Amino acid sequence: MNNYPSHVEEHKMAPAEQEPVRILCAANAAYAAPLCVMLVSLLVNCAKGRKIEIYVLATNIPDVDRRKIESSVCQNRPDFELGSLHWLSPDLSVLQELHIADWAQLEVYARLLAPWVLPKDIDKVFYLDSDMVILSDISPLYDSMDDDSAVHAV
C-alpha cells in the first residue's frame, strides 16, 4: 500500500507501454556513494518492466567510481539497461556568479542547467537529490506529473 493521492493511482498502463521514467540527479566525487545508494534504491523499487532513464550531472566523479556505481546498479536490477545511465558533464563555470550558501557546493545548482545539458527530445524529467533513499515505486508519481512543467523535484 502506498500513500499517493488517489489521482496518482489512475495511471494503470502496463510498464512496457508507458514512457520511460526519466530521472535527473547531480553529484560530485564526495557524493558518489550516496548517489549509488539512491540509484539502487530507485531501481529496486521501480515496477519491473518499467524502463528508466537516468541522467547524472557528474562533476569530478572518477571513472573507477562510475564503474562501481554501474556495477552495483546492474547487480541489484539485472534488467536495467546500462545504456540508460547517462553521465553528463555540465560546465559549472556559468554558475560561478551565483551566491552560493556556505553549506552548499556548486553542484547543488547544476540542476539549473538541465535545459541545456539534457537531450532536446526530453520533455519532462524528475529531479532527485543524490543523497536520498527511495522506499517505494516512484513511477506512479512520475506518471501523474502535469505537462505544464518540464522538471519536477523531490
Side-chain angles (χ1 to χ4, degrees):
M1 178 140 179
N2 62 50
N3 296 323
Y4 297 127
S6 59
H7 73 280
V8 173
E9 291 296 322
E10 296 170 8
H11 304 277
K12 294 288 187 186
M13 295 171 67
E17 297 172 2
Q18 297 169 320
E19 71 175 305
V21 174
R22 293 185 176 102
I23 301 297
L24 175 67
C25 52
N28 60 18
Y31 279 82
L35 171 66
C36 184
V37 170
M38 186 275 287
L39 292 177
V40 168
S41 69
L42 166 74
L43 292 167
V44 299
N45 285 297
C46 196
K48 300 298 181 220
R50 184 69 186 260
K51 187 165 174 51
I52 304 166
E53 294 176 5
I54 301 167
Y55 298 87
V56 181
L57 301 173
T59 56
N60 303 319
I61 298 179
D63 285 342
V64 65
D65 289 341
R66 292 179 188 206
R67 300 297 86 77
K68 287 178 184 177
I69 291 169
E70 292 168 353
S71 175
S72 185
V73 162
C74 290
Q75 286 176 347
N76 287 282
R77 179 76 185 247
D79 65 331
F80 180 72
E81 298 173 15
L82 198 51
S84 295
L85 176 55
H86 308 277
W87 298 99
L88 306 175
S89 299
D91 177 8
L92 297 183
S93 67
V94 299
L95 303 175
Q96 291 295 336
E97 294 188 28
L98 287 177
H99 173 72
I100 307 298
D102 293 339
W103 56 267
Q105 297 177 343
L106 197 55
E107 287 81 7
V108 169
Y109 300 95
R111 68 191 85 180
L112 299 174
L113 302 175
W116 294 277
V117 298
L118 288 171
K120 300 297 181 208
D121 63 335
I122 293 180
D123 57 355
K124 76 177 182 180
V125 68
F126 201 65
Y127 182 87
L128 296 174
D129 281 335
S130 60
D131 59 353
M132 299 176 67
V133 174
I134 310 302
L135 299 176
S136 62
D137 183 4
I138 67 163
S139 57
L141 188 59
Y142 181 86
D143 293 335
S144 73
M145 290 171 38
D146 61 41
D147 293 331
D148 294 335
S149 300
V151 177
H152 289 69
V154 171

